[in-house]
Amino acid sequence: MRLLIAILSAAFVSGSAPRAGAEPQMAGNIDLTKAARWFTEFDSLCASDAGKLWGVPFCGPILLVDPQTRKVAANRADAAHALAPNTGVFVGDLAADLPIANTAVEWQGSRWTMIMWGSLSEKQRPRLRLMGHESFHRLQPQLKLESPGELCDHLDSADGRFWMQVEWNALQAALLAAPGAVRNAAVADALAFRASRRTHFPKAARREAALEIHEGLAEYSGARLVGYSDADVVKLAAAKRQDDSGFVRSFAYISGLLYGFLLDDASGDWRQHLTPQSDLGSLLAVAMHVPPSTMAAAAAEKRAAAYGGVALRATENDREAKRQMQLATWRATLVDGPVLVVDLQVVQSGSFDPGKVFPMAEKQTVYTTRELQAAWGVLTITDGAILEDQSNNQGRVSLAGADADYSSGTGWTLKTAPGWRVVAAERAGDFRLVKQK
């Protein structure tokens, strides 16, 4: 598979490269020649899969979107003829009320894969993996595997993070071992650690399973489509773990990879029996004939030492102390201190890093990397924090270090939409955005 991709890519590069000195054709920030080449590469990858992975073809409508200009480059025409052919793709403008994200959307009578242009890597394998991941989201209703789930708040705690990471360590060890006794033992340990975590957190099983189906299978699909090996998946999981500081949502990307590839080795038809309620750990236990764990918590902790548990426990206890200090700081700056309040109900699109999402309280989540495009303008959090409260649909950013015109503050910038202005809010010291009459 990898050799096929390399050969096809070389052919497309030589066949579609612009002449020397020619200016690239652009739609906003989208290089149309490059977009056309990347579409062709993905089409060839889909053709080589021929529906083998999920029983349906991955090829389908894809929109590459420039969030700044809402310009799009698509791999096919739309039913309403809103897109016009240009440089081997179809170009147009995304409707103002359609949110922008890496996701699947209904638009112009079709279900599309939407991918933000800037999230596509110049490196071929990561780029094709992301295109496969997001294409799986488009297919989920057809596969009857829609299961968006909830944030797993327990995975920001010391115990939740500890048991999750030793589970991953055991799964990675299993993937690196040849099928047989060593792999079986590592999988049994991983499932024991999984059971220990879920004993600590009664709601964990339902919440984790839902996200593993929704995001985990998407990440697995992208890697499998591109032709990753077991060793490649271990390297990818390790890289993701290094980049992510929060696991409450991003854990599923790692768990889905590891469980999916182990299931492929253990059972040829596991994908055919999935439902939105399926638990990947339970499926692997059945496929590998691993009995339910009866390991007590103390014994499981002792066994975790074989997978770096001692160092992990110390690291997570230290992180928990720092987390409590961070929560206190966020309460002081985002709850008690002066803030700019934004209305989340009029947000049209948003993006975030799933590894930088931190629960603070019930229905309150802090994002340290975030962009919101709304009727009131564009708010970008690059190295700061926004507290989003789903109980009242409000976002709050600290006014500490804010400019006099409230166009920026510590770690954030605000581009106010025409006709909107910042005014004093109900609480003294707070401000909010309102539309001028």
Side-chain angles (χ1 to χ4, degrees), residues 124 135 275 288 356:
Q124 186 185 66
S135 293
T275 74
M288 296 187 66
K356 296 180 180 179

Side-chain angles (χ1 to χ4, degrees), residues 225-242:
L225 195 66
V226 175
Y228 277 44
S229 67
D230 288 354
D232 291 334
V233 164
V234 171
K235 290 180 182 178
L236 177 58
K240 286 181 173 295
R241 293 174 65 176
Q242 187 172 11

Side-chain angles (χ1 to χ4, degrees), residues 401-418:
D403 291 343
D405 62 355
Y406 305 103
S407 61
S408 67
T410 303
W412 60 268
T413 60
L414 172 67
K415 183 179 179 181
T416 306

Side-chain angles (χ1 to χ4, degrees), residues 42 46-47 49-60 135 138-139 142-143 225:
F42 187 67
C46 294
D49 169 68
K52 292 190 294 289
L53 188 59
W54 287 105
V56 295
F58 265 77
C59 292
S135 293
R138 189 192 73 250
L139 295 172
Q142 184 178 350
L143 297 171
L225 195 66

